[in-house]
Amino acid sequence: MAVKAQLTGPLTALQVMQDAPVIPVIVLTDVGQAVAMAKALVAGGIRMLEVTLRTPQALACIAAIARQVPEAVVGAGTLRSAADAKSAAAAGARFAVSPGYTKALGQACRDLGLPLLPGVATGSEIMMAQEDGLNHLKFFPAMQAGGPAMLKAWSGPFGDVRFCPTGGVSSDNAAQFLALPNVVCVGGSWLTPLDAMAQGDWTRIEKLAQQASILATVA
């Protein structure tokens, strides 16, 4: 597998989305696992890593990856406030993902230089994000909110918007999303299964990343 050039400096949301077909959505409860997991994903061809702020250990895990795995690009997910954005940036996050969108969160991310993929599930939410200059969005929760059919419907009125569907996306249906012209990548948790994490099965996680990294060529 070709080694990707290291990304330095500020990123754009499009760069984050275009780097690989899948952005892993990661829940970490053990800082001791963070670095080994990140190295396994990178070895498999996936380096944009969304560590969700769903556990007390999340920020420490982001910091550990940012410090010890420079070839990875670690981001923070589940941001819900400006305070979340500030904490994530301070920990070393280089991009942000949120389940929804507010102007306060958008402004905080702009001030911090964090590219933001905000979650949207309706046309009104897309329009609110676009008012603030955001055209690269997370479709969430993707399957529950209409799946590929909804994205096809949005391609007419929102032809200038590109999406990262997340929520109910799996190895079984990812190719259906990636085949859509308005989808750049997908987000999913299947690259870091709980049992593999608990067992420290980094070889399995690397293989899952390898499979995910070629999804676009299959779609």
Side-chain angles (χ1 to χ4, degrees), residues 54-76:
R54 300 180 189 177
T55 69
Q57 299 83 9
L59 289 170
C61 290
I62 289 171
I65 295 170
R67 184 173 59 251
Q68 299 182 51
V69 194
E71 61 270 34
V73 181
V74 63

Side-chain angles (χ1 to χ4, degrees), residues 52-189:
T52 62
L53 300 187
R54 300 180 189 177
T55 69
Q57 299 83 9
L59 289 170
C61 290
I62 289 171
I65 295 170
R67 184 173 59 251
Q68 299 182 51
V69 194
E71 61 270 34
V73 181
V74 63
T78 324
L79 270 68
R80 298 190 297 165
S81 66
D84 285 344
K86 292 174 183 176
S87 297
R94 296 182 61 193
F95 66 93
V97 185
S98 61
Y101 180 70
T102 67
K103 287 185 175 294
L105 178 59
Q107 186 61 55
C109 287
R110 282 191 293 275
D111 291 344
L112 293 162
L114 279 180
L116 172 66
L117 298 179
V120 298
T122 68
S124 295
E125 292 169 355
I126 294 172
M127 291 165 65
M128 288 174 62
Q130 283 197 294
E131 282 185 353
D132 289 344
L134 298 170
N135 291 305
H136 299 92
L137 311 176
K138 166 182 166 178
F139 176 37
F140 176 81
M143 289 304 294
Q144 296 86 342
M150 179 66 86
L151 287 165
K152 289 178 184 177
W154 278 345
S155 65
F158 300 114
D160 55 340
V161 181
R162 295 296 176 266
F163 296 95
C164 171
T166 305
V169 180
S170 68
S171 58
D172 294 328
N173 61 19
Q176 299 175 38
F177 285 100
L178 290 166
L180 300 173
N182 57 350
V183 169
V184 180
C185 66
V186 300
S189 59

